[in-house]
Every structure is written in C-alpha cells, then in structure tokens.
Amino acid sequence: MQFLKKEHKKFSKSSYPKFILGGDIGATNTHLGIFGVKNKSADLIASFHFRNKDLSSVYEAINFALNLIKKDYKIKIENASLGIAGALSPEKDIAKMTNIKWSISKKELMKKLKLKKIILINDFEAVGYAINSLKKSDVSIVKTAKRVQKAPILVIGAGTGLGKVILLYDKNKDSYFPVSSEAGNSDFAAQDNGDFELIKFMRQKMKENISYEDFLSGRGIVNVFNFVRNGKRFKETAYTKEINGSKIKPELISKYRKIDSTCRETFRIFRKIYAGFARNFALDALPYGGIYIAGGIAPKNREIFDKEFVKMFEQNNKLSHVLKKIPIYLVLSLNAGLIGAGVAGADMLK
C-alpha cells in the first residue's frame, strides 16, 4: 500500500523512554505519526499521510504504519492516541465519523493491532491539545487584543467539515483541557436578506436543518459558489466553466478568488458567515484567552481574515465592547490535529 507522503527527522531512540502512535483521522485524509515521549512533551519524529479514498479502512493505514515503524525504526508501538472527525460514544470507545462511512472501535483496534492502550478523541479536541504546543511560526495574528492568562480559549476551523472546541484551564494540573463539541452542525443563523436567500436556495436540495457546516467547509464553499451562480449576477467565465467540470471545485474556487468575480463573491459570503460563526461562539465561551482559527481552509486563504473579517466579528448591538477585547489567531500548521493527538497520548502515559 502506498502513502501520500512520509516525513521524518533524525532522532536517537535512547533520547526517549517511550514512544506512541498519534493519529489525525479526517474525512479526506489520515495522518499518523510516531511521537517520542519524554517528561511531559511529545515530539513528532516521523509521520505518514494517506488519502482515505485509497484505504479500505482506518485499520489498514494504522497496521501499515505500525509495521513500517517496526521495520524502519526498530520501534515497537504499544499505545496509540487517535483524533477522529466524528462524534464519540459517551464512553469514548466508538467513533462514528461524520463525513465518511467509517466507524472506529477501540475494542476492534486493540484486537486487530495488538495494542495495549488506546484513547479516542474528537479531531478538534486533538487540535485543542495542540494549541499550547505550537511554535510561534505556526500561528499568525488576525486581531490584536490583550490575552488574559488562564482564560477560556476557543478553537474553530473549517476543512472537510467544521469543528469547534473550548479550552478550559485546570488550576490543579496547571494546564488547559479541551471540551469537545459538534457545534459545526448547529443551525445556521440568518441575519439579512442575503442569508435568507441562501437558505431558500439550500432548501431546494436539503429538507432537514441547514447547518453552519453546510457553508463553512469544502462542500460549503461549493454550496455558496452554486448559490452565487444561480443568482445570475455574474457572467459565466472560463474559470467558472473549469470549476463546473472539476472534481476539485473548492480548490479552484479558492485559486481564482482574486481574479474571478463569482469566486470573489463566494469568498465574500464565506468570510461573512465565518465571522458570524466565530462571533456566536465567542459570546458563548467568552474566550479572553483568544480564538484560534484552525482547519485546512484558513491557512490556504489567509487574506480573507482581514480588517473586514474583524469588523464583522465585532458587530453586536449590546456586546461589541466585549468582542473587541478578544484576540484572534490563525493556525498555519496543517499538522495541528496530529500534534494534539500526540500531546493527548503523552498525557495518557503520565
């Protein structure tokens, strides 16, 4: 079986008393890594990246990685920490993925892979674990404000799906812990005529509730693009023709957002909805420790998180003064979920 890519750095086995397997299992890709665990740190020393469409199951990817680790690095892995894009059972022993027809069982993992200990967490819970382990180069500032130490932190992010997690500070452990959520599937809140027209358009293809994820995700970008095209405000171009016939529509809409009027309008609406989502959950969590925007879409479209985004985020009749006090950061690292899974695994071994 082939993997999408492999990354590694030089390390000495004697530098780490323990090793674990970390995983970030999304709807589109599966990322696995070896972490060297020392004291409270988890260092990513090798990673393997797979396209899910090339896999029969997640078990196939993990088994492949474990065998490769044993062969190439002479390391036997006995513990694993997996961040999974889906809702977990209350016991956190089964995960049903949201945007791919995979169900992952801790019992099955241990049986098939002969691992001693496994923890399953939500993929955005994993991103939450990573926040305080990211390098300065992995984060950029969207909105400056005084960060309150030990205050709640909000992490949101759009990719194949839409995630949200709140980090709360535990004074007994002197560290943050994430509270997982499925808020990306909460109902989209219309605010103006444009939003109502967007909902009306979506009602033609959806009978159930219309969620934020239907707009803030890869397929969400396509939904907004189709809405803009349906309005016939913009002429068809060579770019829109290419997009209409493509299997990678979100990537092309992003690519042409600066030169094609339809793509530009798509991202104007996308930015507006993103700012509203951030505002709603900022009021829910009061994250004076900051909002971190993660996920696969944001780093590739950094320009939309501009002064206009901040202005829309701060719009509120009663609590604009509260929103102005919340800093916002952009997570540039695409490995945040994988790093967070390693941090959670290191915590498991303490």
Short mmCIF file of all heavy atoms in Angstrom, two decimals, residues 198 201-202 205 214-271 273:
data_model
loop_
_atom_site.label_atom_id
_atom_site.label_comp_id
_atom_site.label_asym_id
_atom_site.label_seq_id
_atom_site.Cartn_x
_atom_site.Cartn_y
_atom_site.Cartn_z
N LEU A 198 -29.96 32.62 0.68
CA LEU A 198 -29.05 31.47 0.70
C LEU A 198 -29.76 30.25 1.28
O LEU A 198 -29.65 29.13 0.75
CB LEU A 198 -27.81 31.82 1.52
CG LEU A 198 -26.70 30.77 1.63
CD1 LEU A 198 -26.22 30.33 0.25
CD2 LEU A 198 -25.54 31.31 2.45
N PHE A 201 -32.28 28.93 -1.20
CA PHE A 201 -31.59 28.16 -2.24
C PHE A 201 -31.24 26.76 -1.73
O PHE A 201 -31.44 25.77 -2.44
CB PHE A 201 -30.31 28.91 -2.66
CG PHE A 201 -29.41 28.12 -3.57
CD1 PHE A 201 -29.72 27.98 -4.92
CD2 PHE A 201 -28.26 27.52 -3.08
CE1 PHE A 201 -28.88 27.25 -5.77
CE2 PHE A 201 -27.41 26.79 -3.92
CZ PHE A 201 -27.74 26.66 -5.27
N MET A 202 -30.73 26.67 -0.50
CA MET A 202 -30.34 25.38 0.05
C MET A 202 -31.54 24.48 0.30
O MET A 202 -31.43 23.26 0.25
CB MET A 202 -29.56 25.59 1.36
CG MET A 202 -28.18 26.20 1.16
SD MET A 202 -27.08 25.15 0.19
CE MET A 202 -26.85 23.78 1.34
N LYS A 205 -32.37 21.66 -2.09
CA LYS A 205 -31.61 20.40 -2.10
C LYS A 205 -31.58 19.72 -0.73
O LYS A 205 -31.17 18.57 -0.64
CB LYS A 205 -30.17 20.66 -2.57
CG LYS A 205 -29.41 21.67 -1.76
CD LYS A 205 -28.03 21.97 -2.34
CE LYS A 205 -27.07 20.82 -2.14
NZ LYS A 205 -25.68 21.13 -2.52
N ASP A 214 -22.70 23.45 6.41
CA ASP A 214 -23.14 23.43 5.02
C ASP A 214 -22.57 24.59 4.23
O ASP A 214 -22.66 24.62 2.99
CB ASP A 214 -24.68 23.45 4.95
CG ASP A 214 -25.29 22.16 5.44
OD1 ASP A 214 -24.75 21.09 5.10
OD2 ASP A 214 -26.30 22.21 6.17
N PHE A 215 -21.96 25.57 4.92
CA PHE A 215 -21.33 26.70 4.26
C PHE A 215 -19.85 26.83 4.62
O PHE A 215 -19.04 27.27 3.81
CB PHE A 215 -22.05 28.00 4.62
CG PHE A 215 -23.53 27.95 4.35
CD1 PHE A 215 -24.45 28.08 5.36
CD2 PHE A 215 -24.00 27.73 3.05
CE1 PHE A 215 -25.80 28.02 5.11
CE2 PHE A 215 -25.35 27.67 2.79
CZ PHE A 215 -26.27 27.82 3.82
N LEU A 216 -19.49 26.45 5.84
CA LEU A 216 -18.11 26.57 6.30
C LEU A 216 -17.41 25.21 6.24
O LEU A 216 -17.22 24.54 7.25
CB LEU A 216 -18.06 27.14 7.72
CG LEU A 216 -18.66 28.53 7.89
CD1 LEU A 216 -18.55 28.98 9.35
CD2 LEU A 216 -17.97 29.54 6.98
N SER A 217 -17.08 24.80 5.04
CA SER A 217 -16.41 23.52 4.78
C SER A 217 -16.06 23.50 3.29
O SER A 217 -16.41 24.43 2.56
CB SER A 217 -17.35 22.35 5.12
OG SER A 217 -18.54 22.41 4.34
N GLY A 218 -15.38 22.44 2.87
CA GLY A 218 -15.08 22.32 1.45
C GLY A 218 -16.35 22.28 0.62
O GLY A 218 -16.49 23.02 -0.37
N ARG A 219 -17.30 21.44 1.00
CA ARG A 219 -18.56 21.38 0.25
C ARG A 219 -19.36 22.66 0.44
O ARG A 219 -20.15 23.06 -0.41
CB ARG A 219 -19.38 20.16 0.66
CG ARG A 219 -20.10 20.27 1.99
CD ARG A 219 -20.99 19.05 2.25
NE ARG A 219 -21.80 19.22 3.44
CZ ARG A 219 -21.37 19.05 4.68
NH1 ARG A 219 -20.12 18.68 4.89
NH2 ARG A 219 -22.19 19.24 5.71
N GLY A 220 -19.13 23.34 1.59
CA GLY A 220 -19.81 24.60 1.85
C GLY A 220 -19.40 25.68 0.86
O GLY A 220 -20.24 26.47 0.40
N ILE A 221 -18.11 25.72 0.52
CA ILE A 221 -17.63 26.67 -0.48
C ILE A 221 -18.34 26.42 -1.81
O ILE A 221 -18.75 27.36 -2.51
CB ILE A 221 -16.10 26.55 -0.64
CG1 ILE A 221 -15.40 27.08 0.63
CG2 ILE A 221 -15.62 27.32 -1.87
CD1 ILE A 221 -13.90 26.85 0.63
N VAL A 222 -18.51 25.15 -2.15
CA VAL A 222 -19.21 24.79 -3.40
C VAL A 222 -20.67 25.20 -3.32
O VAL A 222 -21.25 25.71 -4.29
CB VAL A 222 -19.07 23.29 -3.69
CG1 VAL A 222 -19.84 22.91 -4.95
CG2 VAL A 222 -17.60 22.90 -3.82
N ASN A 223 -21.31 25.00 -2.16
CA ASN A 223 -22.71 25.41 -1.98
C ASN A 223 -22.87 26.91 -2.20
O ASN A 223 -23.81 27.35 -2.88
CB ASN A 223 -23.20 25.03 -0.58
CG ASN A 223 -23.46 23.55 -0.42
OD1 ASN A 223 -23.70 22.84 -1.40
ND2 ASN A 223 -23.41 23.07 0.81
N VAL A 224 -21.97 27.69 -1.62
CA VAL A 224 -22.05 29.15 -1.78
C VAL A 224 -21.78 29.54 -3.23
O VAL A 224 -22.46 30.41 -3.79
CB VAL A 224 -21.06 29.86 -0.82
CG1 VAL A 224 -21.08 31.36 -1.06
CG2 VAL A 224 -21.39 29.56 0.64
N PHE A 225 -20.80 28.89 -3.85
CA PHE A 225 -20.49 29.15 -5.26
C PHE A 225 -21.72 28.89 -6.14
O PHE A 225 -22.06 29.70 -7.01
CB PHE A 225 -19.32 28.27 -5.70
CG PHE A 225 -18.99 28.34 -7.16
CD1 PHE A 225 -18.17 29.34 -7.66
CD2 PHE A 225 -19.48 27.38 -8.06
CE1 PHE A 225 -17.86 29.40 -9.02
CE2 PHE A 225 -19.17 27.44 -9.40
CZ PHE A 225 -18.36 28.45 -9.88
N ASN A 226 -22.39 27.77 -5.90
CA ASN A 226 -23.58 27.43 -6.70
C ASN A 226 -24.70 28.44 -6.46
O ASN A 226 -25.46 28.77 -7.38
CB ASN A 226 -24.07 26.02 -6.35
CG ASN A 226 -23.12 24.94 -6.87
OD1 ASN A 226 -22.38 25.15 -7.83
ND2 ASN A 226 -23.15 23.78 -6.25
N PHE A 227 -24.81 28.93 -5.25
CA PHE A 227 -25.80 29.96 -4.93
C PHE A 227 -25.51 31.24 -5.71
O PHE A 227 -26.41 31.85 -6.29
CB PHE A 227 -25.77 30.24 -3.42
CG PHE A 227 -26.49 31.50 -3.01
CD1 PHE A 227 -27.87 31.59 -3.07
CD2 PHE A 227 -25.76 32.61 -2.57
CE1 PHE A 227 -28.52 32.76 -2.69
CE2 PHE A 227 -26.40 33.77 -2.19
CZ PHE A 227 -27.78 33.86 -2.26
N VAL A 228 -24.25 31.63 -5.73
CA VAL A 228 -23.86 32.85 -6.46
C VAL A 228 -24.12 32.68 -7.96
O VAL A 228 -24.65 33.58 -8.62
CB VAL A 228 -22.38 33.19 -6.20
CG1 VAL A 228 -21.94 34.38 -7.06
CG2 VAL A 228 -22.15 33.51 -4.73
N ARG A 229 -23.80 31.51 -8.50
CA ARG A 229 -24.03 31.24 -9.92
C ARG A 229 -25.53 31.23 -10.23
O ARG A 229 -25.96 31.70 -11.30
CB ARG A 229 -23.43 29.88 -10.31
CG ARG A 229 -21.92 29.82 -10.29
CD ARG A 229 -21.28 30.60 -11.43
NE ARG A 229 -21.64 30.05 -12.73
CZ ARG A 229 -22.06 30.79 -13.76
NH1 ARG A 229 -22.19 32.09 -13.65
NH2 ARG A 229 -22.37 30.22 -14.91
N ASN A 230 -26.32 30.70 -9.31
CA ASN A 230 -27.77 30.62 -9.51
C ASN A 230 -28.40 32.00 -9.61
O ASN A 230 -29.41 32.19 -10.28
CB ASN A 230 -28.39 29.82 -8.36
CG ASN A 230 -29.88 29.59 -8.54
OD1 ASN A 230 -30.29 28.82 -9.40
ND2 ASN A 230 -30.70 30.24 -7.71
N GLY A 231 -27.80 32.97 -8.92
CA GLY A 231 -28.36 34.33 -8.92
C GLY A 231 -28.17 35.06 -10.24
O GLY A 231 -28.81 36.08 -10.48
N LYS A 232 -27.29 34.55 -11.09
CA LYS A 232 -27.04 35.12 -12.42
C LYS A 232 -26.58 36.58 -12.36
O LYS A 232 -26.74 37.33 -13.33
CB LYS A 232 -28.29 34.99 -13.30
CG LYS A 232 -28.78 33.56 -13.45
CD LYS A 232 -29.89 33.45 -14.47
CE LYS A 232 -30.50 32.07 -14.52
NZ LYS A 232 -29.54 31.00 -14.72
N ARG A 233 -26.01 36.99 -11.23
CA ARG A 233 -25.46 38.36 -11.13
C ARG A 233 -24.14 38.47 -11.89
O ARG A 233 -23.75 39.53 -12.32
CB ARG A 233 -25.24 38.74 -9.67
CG ARG A 233 -26.51 39.02 -8.88
CD ARG A 233 -26.19 39.24 -7.41
NE ARG A 233 -25.15 40.24 -7.23
CZ ARG A 233 -24.42 40.37 -6.12
NH1 ARG A 233 -24.62 39.53 -5.11
NH2 ARG A 233 -23.52 41.32 -6.02
N PHE A 234 -23.46 37.31 -12.00
CA PHE A 234 -22.14 37.33 -12.63
C PHE A 234 -22.15 36.44 -13.87
O PHE A 234 -22.77 35.37 -13.89
CB PHE A 234 -21.08 36.84 -11.63
CG PHE A 234 -21.04 37.66 -10.36
CD1 PHE A 234 -21.65 37.19 -9.21
CD2 PHE A 234 -20.40 38.88 -10.33
CE1 PHE A 234 -21.62 37.92 -8.04
CE2 PHE A 234 -20.37 39.63 -9.16
CZ PHE A 234 -20.98 39.16 -8.01
N LYS A 235 -21.45 36.88 -14.88
CA LYS A 235 -21.39 36.15 -16.14
C LYS A 235 -20.54 34.90 -16.00
O LYS A 235 -19.61 34.85 -15.20
CB LYS A 235 -20.82 37.05 -17.23
CG LYS A 235 -21.71 38.24 -17.58
CD LYS A 235 -21.07 39.07 -18.68
CE LYS A 235 -21.94 40.28 -19.02
NZ LYS A 235 -21.32 41.11 -20.09
N GLU A 236 -20.87 33.92 -16.83
CA GLU A 236 -20.03 32.71 -16.88
C GLU A 236 -18.69 33.07 -17.52
O GLU A 236 -18.63 33.85 -18.46
CB GLU A 236 -20.72 31.61 -17.68
CG GLU A 236 -19.96 30.30 -17.64
CD GLU A 236 -20.71 29.16 -18.30
OE1 GLU A 236 -21.10 29.33 -19.48
OE2 GLU A 236 -20.91 28.12 -17.66
N THR A 237 -17.63 32.51 -16.96
CA THR A 237 -16.29 32.79 -17.46
C THR A 237 -15.57 31.47 -17.73
O THR A 237 -16.08 30.39 -17.40
CB THR A 237 -15.48 33.61 -16.43
OG1 THR A 237 -15.29 32.79 -15.26
CG2 THR A 237 -16.19 34.88 -16.06
N ALA A 238 -14.38 31.58 -18.24
CA ALA A 238 -13.56 30.38 -18.45
C ALA A 238 -13.25 29.71 -17.12
O ALA A 238 -13.15 28.48 -17.03
CB ALA A 238 -12.26 30.75 -19.16
N TYR A 239 -13.15 30.52 -16.05
CA TYR A 239 -12.86 29.99 -14.72
C TYR A 239 -14.05 29.21 -14.16
O TYR A 239 -13.89 28.11 -13.63
CB TYR A 239 -12.49 31.12 -13.77
CG TYR A 239 -11.33 31.95 -14.24
CD1 TYR A 239 -11.50 33.29 -14.59
CD2 TYR A 239 -10.05 31.42 -14.34
CE1 TYR A 239 -10.44 34.06 -15.04
CE2 TYR A 239 -8.98 32.18 -14.78
CZ TYR A 239 -9.18 33.50 -15.13
OH TYR A 239 -8.11 34.26 -15.58
N THR A 240 -15.25 29.79 -14.29
CA THR A 240 -16.43 29.09 -13.76
C THR A 240 -16.72 27.82 -14.56
O THR A 240 -17.20 26.84 -14.02
CB THR A 240 -17.66 30.01 -13.75
OG1 THR A 240 -17.92 30.49 -15.09
CG2 THR A 240 -17.45 31.20 -12.83
N LYS A 241 -16.44 27.86 -15.87
CA LYS A 241 -16.61 26.65 -16.67
C LYS A 241 -15.67 25.54 -16.20
O LYS A 241 -16.06 24.37 -16.09
CB LYS A 241 -16.34 26.96 -18.15
CG LYS A 241 -17.45 27.72 -18.85
CD LYS A 241 -17.11 27.93 -20.31
CE LYS A 241 -18.22 28.68 -21.04
NZ LYS A 241 -17.89 28.91 -22.47
N GLU A 242 -14.43 25.93 -15.92
CA GLU A 242 -13.45 24.94 -15.42
C GLU A 242 -13.90 24.37 -14.08
O GLU A 242 -13.82 23.16 -13.84
CB GLU A 242 -12.08 25.61 -15.28
CG GLU A 242 -11.01 24.62 -14.79
CD GLU A 242 -9.67 25.30 -14.55
OE1 GLU A 242 -9.52 26.50 -14.87
OE2 GLU A 242 -8.76 24.62 -13.99
N ILE A 243 -14.39 25.25 -13.20
CA ILE A 243 -14.84 24.81 -11.88
C ILE A 243 -16.02 23.86 -12.00
O ILE A 243 -16.06 22.80 -11.34
CB ILE A 243 -15.22 26.04 -11.01
CG1 ILE A 243 -13.97 26.84 -10.68
CG2 ILE A 243 -15.93 25.59 -9.73
CD1 ILE A 243 -14.25 28.23 -10.14
N ASN A 244 -16.98 24.19 -12.84
CA ASN A 244 -18.18 23.37 -13.00
C ASN A 244 -17.85 21.95 -13.45
O ASN A 244 -18.54 21.00 -13.10
CB ASN A 244 -19.14 24.02 -14.00
CG ASN A 244 -19.84 25.23 -13.42
OD1 ASN A 244 -20.00 25.35 -12.21
ND2 ASN A 244 -20.23 26.16 -14.28
N GLY A 245 -16.78 21.79 -14.23
CA GLY A 245 -16.42 20.46 -14.73
C GLY A 245 -15.36 19.76 -13.91
O GLY A 245 -14.89 18.68 -14.29
N SER A 246 -14.99 20.34 -12.78
CA SER A 246 -13.88 19.81 -11.99
C SER A 246 -14.35 18.95 -10.81
O SER A 246 -15.46 19.11 -10.31
CB SER A 246 -13.03 20.98 -11.46
OG SER A 246 -12.04 20.51 -10.57
N LYS A 247 -13.46 18.06 -10.38
CA LYS A 247 -13.69 17.27 -9.17
C LYS A 247 -13.05 17.90 -7.94
O LYS A 247 -13.16 17.38 -6.84
CB LYS A 247 -13.15 15.85 -9.37
CG LYS A 247 -13.91 15.04 -10.43
CD LYS A 247 -13.36 13.63 -10.53
CE LYS A 247 -14.15 12.81 -11.56
NZ LYS A 247 -13.62 11.42 -11.68
N ILE A 248 -12.34 19.00 -8.15
CA ILE A 248 -11.69 19.71 -7.02
C ILE A 248 -12.21 21.15 -6.98
O ILE A 248 -11.45 22.11 -6.95
CB ILE A 248 -10.15 19.67 -7.14
CG1 ILE A 248 -9.68 20.18 -8.50
CG2 ILE A 248 -9.63 18.26 -6.88
CD1 ILE A 248 -8.18 20.45 -8.56
N LYS A 249 -13.51 21.29 -6.95
CA LYS A 249 -14.14 22.61 -7.02
C LYS A 249 -13.67 23.56 -5.91
O LYS A 249 -13.35 24.73 -6.20
CB LYS A 249 -15.66 22.45 -6.97
CG LYS A 249 -16.27 21.86 -8.24
CD LYS A 249 -17.78 21.78 -8.11
CE LYS A 249 -18.43 21.34 -9.43
NZ LYS A 249 -18.07 19.97 -9.80
N PRO A 250 -13.63 23.15 -4.63
CA PRO A 250 -13.21 24.10 -3.58
C PRO A 250 -11.82 24.67 -3.83
O PRO A 250 -11.60 25.88 -3.63
CB PRO A 250 -13.24 23.26 -2.30
CG PRO A 250 -14.17 22.14 -2.59
CD PRO A 250 -13.99 21.84 -4.04
N GLU A 251 -10.90 23.83 -4.26
CA GLU A 251 -9.53 24.29 -4.51
C GLU A 251 -9.48 25.32 -5.64
O GLU A 251 -8.77 26.32 -5.54
CB GLU A 251 -8.63 23.10 -4.84
CG GLU A 251 -8.35 22.17 -3.67
CD GLU A 251 -9.41 21.09 -3.50
OE1 GLU A 251 -10.50 21.23 -4.10
OE2 GLU A 251 -9.14 20.11 -2.78
N LEU A 252 -10.26 25.09 -6.71
CA LEU A 252 -10.26 26.01 -7.84
C LEU A 252 -10.96 27.33 -7.50
O LEU A 252 -10.53 28.41 -7.93
CB LEU A 252 -10.90 25.36 -9.06
CG LEU A 252 -10.13 24.21 -9.69
CD1 LEU A 252 -10.89 23.65 -10.90
CD2 LEU A 252 -8.74 24.66 -10.12
N ILE A 253 -12.05 27.25 -6.73
CA ILE A 253 -12.74 28.48 -6.32
C ILE A 253 -11.79 29.35 -5.49
O ILE A 253 -11.75 30.57 -5.65
CB ILE A 253 -14.02 28.14 -5.51
CG1 ILE A 253 -15.01 27.37 -6.39
CG2 ILE A 253 -14.69 29.42 -4.98
CD1 ILE A 253 -16.16 26.73 -5.63
N SER A 254 -11.02 28.69 -4.63
CA SER A 254 -10.01 29.40 -3.85
C SER A 254 -8.92 29.98 -4.75
O SER A 254 -8.52 31.14 -4.60
CB SER A 254 -9.39 28.46 -2.82
OG SER A 254 -8.27 29.04 -2.19
N LYS A 255 -8.47 29.19 -5.69
CA LYS A 255 -7.39 29.61 -6.60
C LYS A 255 -7.76 30.86 -7.39
O LYS A 255 -6.92 31.75 -7.60
CB LYS A 255 -7.06 28.45 -7.55
CG LYS A 255 -5.97 28.76 -8.55
CD LYS A 255 -5.73 27.56 -9.47
CE LYS A 255 -4.68 27.86 -10.53
NZ LYS A 255 -4.45 26.69 -11.42
N TYR A 256 -9.03 30.94 -7.80
CA TYR A 256 -9.45 32.04 -8.67
C TYR A 256 -10.19 33.16 -7.91
O TYR A 256 -10.77 34.04 -8.54
CB TYR A 256 -10.35 31.50 -9.78
CG TYR A 256 -9.68 30.49 -10.67
CD1 TYR A 256 -10.34 29.32 -11.07
CD2 TYR A 256 -8.38 30.68 -11.14
CE1 TYR A 256 -9.72 28.38 -11.90
CE2 TYR A 256 -7.75 29.75 -11.96
CZ TYR A 256 -8.43 28.61 -12.33
OH TYR A 256 -7.81 27.67 -13.14
N ARG A 257 -10.16 33.12 -6.58
CA ARG A 257 -10.95 34.08 -5.81
C ARG A 257 -10.52 35.53 -6.01
O ARG A 257 -11.30 36.47 -5.75
CB ARG A 257 -10.92 33.73 -4.32
CG ARG A 257 -9.61 33.99 -3.62
CD ARG A 257 -9.64 33.51 -2.17
NE ARG A 257 -8.44 33.88 -1.44
CZ ARG A 257 -7.28 33.25 -1.51
NH1 ARG A 257 -7.17 32.18 -2.29
NH2 ARG A 257 -6.23 33.67 -0.82
N LYS A 258 -9.30 35.76 -6.46
CA LYS A 258 -8.82 37.13 -6.65
C LYS A 258 -9.01 37.64 -8.09
O LYS A 258 -8.91 38.84 -8.33
CB LYS A 258 -7.33 37.22 -6.29
CG LYS A 258 -7.03 36.95 -4.83
CD LYS A 258 -5.54 37.05 -4.56
CE LYS A 258 -5.22 36.75 -3.11
NZ LYS A 258 -3.74 36.82 -2.85
N ILE A 259 -9.32 36.74 -9.02
CA ILE A 259 -9.38 37.15 -10.42
C ILE A 259 -10.73 36.89 -11.09
O ILE A 259 -10.98 37.38 -12.19
CB ILE A 259 -8.27 36.46 -11.25
CG1 ILE A 259 -8.36 34.93 -11.10
CG2 ILE A 259 -6.90 36.94 -10.82
CD1 ILE A 259 -7.33 34.17 -11.95
N ASP A 260 -11.61 36.15 -10.43
CA ASP A 260 -12.93 35.86 -10.99
C ASP A 260 -14.00 36.42 -10.07
O ASP A 260 -13.98 36.19 -8.86
CB ASP A 260 -13.13 34.35 -11.17
CG ASP A 260 -14.48 34.01 -11.75
OD1 ASP A 260 -14.65 34.14 -12.98
OD2 ASP A 260 -15.37 33.64 -10.97
N SER A 261 -14.96 37.14 -10.64
CA SER A 261 -15.97 37.83 -9.82
C SER A 261 -16.87 36.86 -9.05
O SER A 261 -17.24 37.13 -7.90
CB SER A 261 -16.83 38.73 -10.71
OG SER A 261 -17.45 37.98 -11.74
N THR A 262 -17.20 35.71 -9.64
CA THR A 262 -18.04 34.72 -8.95
C THR A 262 -17.30 34.13 -7.75
O THR A 262 -17.87 33.98 -6.67
CB THR A 262 -18.46 33.60 -9.91
OG1 THR A 262 -19.17 34.17 -11.00
CG2 THR A 262 -19.36 32.58 -9.21
N CYS A 263 -16.04 33.79 -7.96
CA CYS A 263 -15.23 33.23 -6.87
C CYS A 263 -14.99 34.27 -5.78
O CYS A 263 -14.99 33.95 -4.58
CB CYS A 263 -13.90 32.71 -7.41
SG CYS A 263 -14.08 31.36 -8.60
N ARG A 264 -14.78 35.52 -6.19
CA ARG A 264 -14.58 36.60 -5.22
C ARG A 264 -15.82 36.77 -4.35
O ARG A 264 -15.74 36.91 -3.12
CB ARG A 264 -14.26 37.90 -5.94
CG ARG A 264 -13.87 39.04 -5.00
CD ARG A 264 -13.60 40.34 -5.76
NE ARG A 264 -12.51 40.18 -6.72
CZ ARG A 264 -12.66 40.24 -8.04
NH1 ARG A 264 -13.86 40.45 -8.57
NH2 ARG A 264 -11.62 40.08 -8.83
N GLU A 265 -17.01 36.75 -4.97
CA GLU A 265 -18.26 36.89 -4.22
C GLU A 265 -18.49 35.68 -3.33
O GLU A 265 -19.00 35.81 -2.20
CB GLU A 265 -19.43 37.06 -5.20
CG GLU A 265 -20.80 37.14 -4.56
CD GLU A 265 -21.01 38.38 -3.70
OE1 GLU A 265 -20.13 39.26 -3.67
OE2 GLU A 265 -22.08 38.46 -3.06
N THR A 266 -18.11 34.50 -3.80
CA THR A 266 -18.24 33.29 -2.98
C THR A 266 -17.46 33.44 -1.69
O THR A 266 -17.98 33.16 -0.60
CB THR A 266 -17.72 32.06 -3.76
OG1 THR A 266 -18.54 31.85 -4.91
CG2 THR A 266 -17.73 30.81 -2.89
N PHE A 267 -16.23 33.92 -1.78
CA PHE A 267 -15.42 34.07 -0.58
C PHE A 267 -15.82 35.27 0.27
O PHE A 267 -15.56 35.29 1.47
CB PHE A 267 -13.92 34.10 -0.93
CG PHE A 267 -13.30 32.73 -0.88
CD1 PHE A 267 -13.34 31.90 -1.99
CD2 PHE A 267 -12.74 32.25 0.28
CE1 PHE A 267 -12.79 30.62 -1.93
CE2 PHE A 267 -12.19 30.98 0.36
CZ PHE A 267 -12.22 30.16 -0.76
N ARG A 268 -16.47 36.26 -0.33
CA ARG A 268 -17.01 37.36 0.48
C ARG A 268 -18.10 36.83 1.41
O ARG A 268 -18.13 37.13 2.61
CB ARG A 268 -17.58 38.46 -0.42
CG ARG A 268 -18.06 39.70 0.38
CD ARG A 268 -18.93 40.61 -0.48
NE ARG A 268 -20.22 40.01 -0.80
CZ ARG A 268 -21.25 39.96 0.04
NH1 ARG A 268 -21.15 40.44 1.28
NH2 ARG A 268 -22.39 39.39 -0.32
N ILE A 269 -18.98 36.00 0.86
CA ILE A 269 -20.05 35.40 1.66
C ILE A 269 -19.47 34.42 2.67
O ILE A 269 -19.88 34.39 3.84
CB ILE A 269 -21.08 34.70 0.74
CG1 ILE A 269 -21.78 35.74 -0.14
CG2 ILE A 269 -22.10 33.92 1.56
CD1 ILE A 269 -22.65 35.12 -1.24
N PHE A 270 -18.51 33.60 2.23
CA PHE A 270 -17.86 32.64 3.11
C PHE A 270 -17.23 33.35 4.31
O PHE A 270 -17.39 32.92 5.46
CB PHE A 270 -16.79 31.88 2.31
CG PHE A 270 -16.04 30.83 3.09
CD1 PHE A 270 -16.56 29.56 3.27
CD2 PHE A 270 -14.79 31.11 3.64
CE1 PHE A 270 -15.86 28.59 3.98
CE2 PHE A 270 -14.08 30.15 4.35
CZ PHE A 270 -14.62 28.88 4.52
N ARG A 271 -16.53 34.46 4.06
CA ARG A 271 -15.90 35.23 5.14
C ARG A 271 -16.95 35.77 6.11
O ARG A 271 -16.77 35.74 7.33
CB ARG A 271 -15.09 36.38 4.53
CG ARG A 271 -14.45 37.30 5.56
CD ARG A 271 -13.69 38.44 4.91
NE ARG A 271 -14.58 39.26 4.08
CZ ARG A 271 -14.17 40.24 3.28
NH1 ARG A 271 -12.88 40.52 3.18
NH2 ARG A 271 -15.03 40.94 2.58
N ILE A 273 -19.96 34.60 6.79
CA ILE A 273 -20.53 33.51 7.61
C ILE A 273 -19.51 33.04 8.65
O ILE A 273 -19.86 32.76 9.80
CB ILE A 273 -20.99 32.35 6.71
CG1 ILE A 273 -22.14 32.81 5.80
CG2 ILE A 273 -21.45 31.16 7.56
CD1 ILE A 273 -22.55 31.79 4.76
#
